[in-house]
Amino acid sequence: MPLRLTPLADSRFDEWLAATRNRLIRLGQDSGMRPGEDAVQHADAFLAELLPAGLATASARILTIDDGGTEIGVLWLGLGHTRLFVVNLSFSVEPTDAQLQDLFDQVRDIARAENAAALTVSLFWQDAAGWGFVAGHGFEPSSIQMVLDPLPDRHDPSPLTLEPMSEERFARFIAASEADFAQELAASGRMSLEDATTESRRLVAKELPDGLATADQLLYVALVDGAEVGILWIAIRRRGGRDHAFILNVEVDAAHHRKGYGRAIMHAAEEAMRKLEVSSIGLHVFGANHGAVALYEQLGYRRLEELLVLPL
């Protein structure tokens, strides 16, 4: 008998919201993505953003999962620009492979009925049921959040150095960054290119309201024998009550690919953060950038959360 998906009753929304909040906090903390109070603040902001009208939010569908008269979980779906998102999937019992397959089939049918171009799921590394839901169906990682904590003690002499970015170089960097990020947002399926361009400008302005003078923002050019070979942008944030470096952008000029400069820039970033007494570095990498993912894992970065996409 197939699973039955039924809209969550209004009378149960507050109870479900509290349980979902607790689950998001626990996943964030246990994964290492957001230790301590970081996970609480993120969960509250996340729920407020995605459910502004509660159960009446037009883009949200919250469904109970019933098997033979017994409720075994709750599914939260969100409809984006061109995608159906599995926002949260929680079970009260450990699901069987058959139940997960049935649920996947029904969610895929919902996505197709909504004319979604893709099905998307965001998973922390320890979410066993979530990984069971996507297993064997062709999902590919779209983006990956990674962390290096603590920073290793390396001894890697290199001719590469990091120097603060000049105002002239900063102007060119910002123009290119806004354009590149807009393309990435549009490619994610979350919004149109026009909306992505506006959002890209907003986000860059939010990160750098005072340009190069913005507090806790470090922008470097990577030099070898005085010649620029790449750039590095780091934001100093808080993670678990400690200063945490987050790499917003790292690039090696196309003319200097395959010379080991990507690894050298990452090593230089570690050294720069050690001098600032910052003990961890985080970053986001697109899943299709297999070379970068492999490099970061070789350097000791571990995966915390992955956004997975299945084209329909």
Side-chain angles (χ1 to χ4, degrees), residues 20-308:
T20 299
R21 178 179 182 270
N22 289 336
R23 182 174 187 272
L24 293 174
I25 291 170
R26 186 178 67 255
L27 285 170
Q29 291 174 338
D30 292 349
S31 69
M33 182 76 173
R34 301 178 185 94
E37 288 299 308
D38 298 358
V40 177
Q41 296 166 8
H42 180 270
D44 288 339
F46 180 83
L47 291 168
E49 178 184 358
L50 268 66
L51 293 171
L55 201 57
T57 301
S59 60
R61 295 178 67 176
I62 302 170
L63 308 168
T64 60
I65 307 169
D66 183 284
D67 189 0
T70 300
E71 184 177 312
I72 63 171
V74 182
L75 170 68
W76 174 10
L77 299 175
L79 186 62
H81 174 59
T82 60
R83 299 186 178 187
L84 184 73
F85 294 83
V86 178
V87 184
N88 189 64
L89 173 59
S90 60
F91 289 96
S92 54
V93 297
E94 184 175 350
T96 66
D97 290 344
Q99 288 170 332
L100 288 170
Q101 179 63 53
D102 186 356
L103 181 61
F104 169 79
D105 291 340
Q106 294 199 45
V107 171
R108 181 182 55 192
D109 290 344
I110 293 172
R112 288 173 172 165
E114 294 285 357
N115 295 316
L119 183 61
T120 301
V121 186
S122 185
L123 295 175
F124 288 100
W125 64 264
Q126 77 274 33
D127 187 352
W131 287 104
F133 173 79
V134 303
H137 298 302
F139 283 86
E140 293 289 341
S142 173
S143 65
I144 305 168
Q145 297 285 346
M146 308 180 80
V147 73
L148 182 66
D149 183 11
L151 301 187
D153 184 15
R154 305 189 199 274
H155 300 282
D156 182 40
S158 169
L160 184 143
T161 59
L162 297 178
E163 297 291 340
M165 192 175 286
S166 68
E167 287 286 355
E168 184 275 333
R169 183 65 181 87
F170 176 72
R172 290 187 286 119
F173 165 76
I174 285 297
S177 294
E178 288 181 351
D180 290 346
F181 189 47
Q183 291 290 341
E184 291 168 357
L185 283 175
S188 74
R190 292 166 51 192
M191 57 189 71
S192 67
L193 180 57
E194 181 180 0
D195 290 342
T197 299
T198 301
E199 179 68 1
S200 175
R201 288 173 182 162
R202 185 190 72 81
L203 291 174
V204 171
K206 181 180 177 181
E207 287 284 354
L208 295 165
D210 298 317
L212 279 175
T214 303
D216 296 328
Q217 298 284 347
L218 307 172
L219 293 106
Y220 302 99
V221 291
L223 304 175
V224 174
D225 296 330
E228 181 180 325
V229 300
I231 59 93
L232 174 68
W233 176 11
I234 295 177
I236 303 299
R237 297 175 175 172
R238 299 289 287 176
R239 174 175 172 264
R242 300 179 299 156
D243 281 346
H244 171 68
F246 193 86
I247 295 178
L248 292 171
N249 197 1
V250 56
E251 294 180 14
V252 175
D253 294 346
H256 296 288
H257 284 180
R258 302 189 181 278
K259 296 181 180 179
Y261 292 150
R263 183 183 298 271
I265 291 174
M266 298 303 291
H267 285 178
E270 293 174 22
E271 183 60 28
M273 293 306 98
R274 270 193 292 268
K275 290 178 180 178
L276 294 176
E277 299 184 348
V278 175
S279 60
S280 62
I281 300 177
L283 56 82
H284 155 275
V285 60
F286 287 97
N289 193 346
H290 303 296
V293 174
L295 170 61
Y296 299 144
E297 291 184 329
Q298 290 167 13
L299 291 171
Y301 285 78
R302 60 188 179 90
R303 304 183 188 209
L304 302 181
E305 185 179 18
E306 298 186 41
L307 181 67
L308 301 140

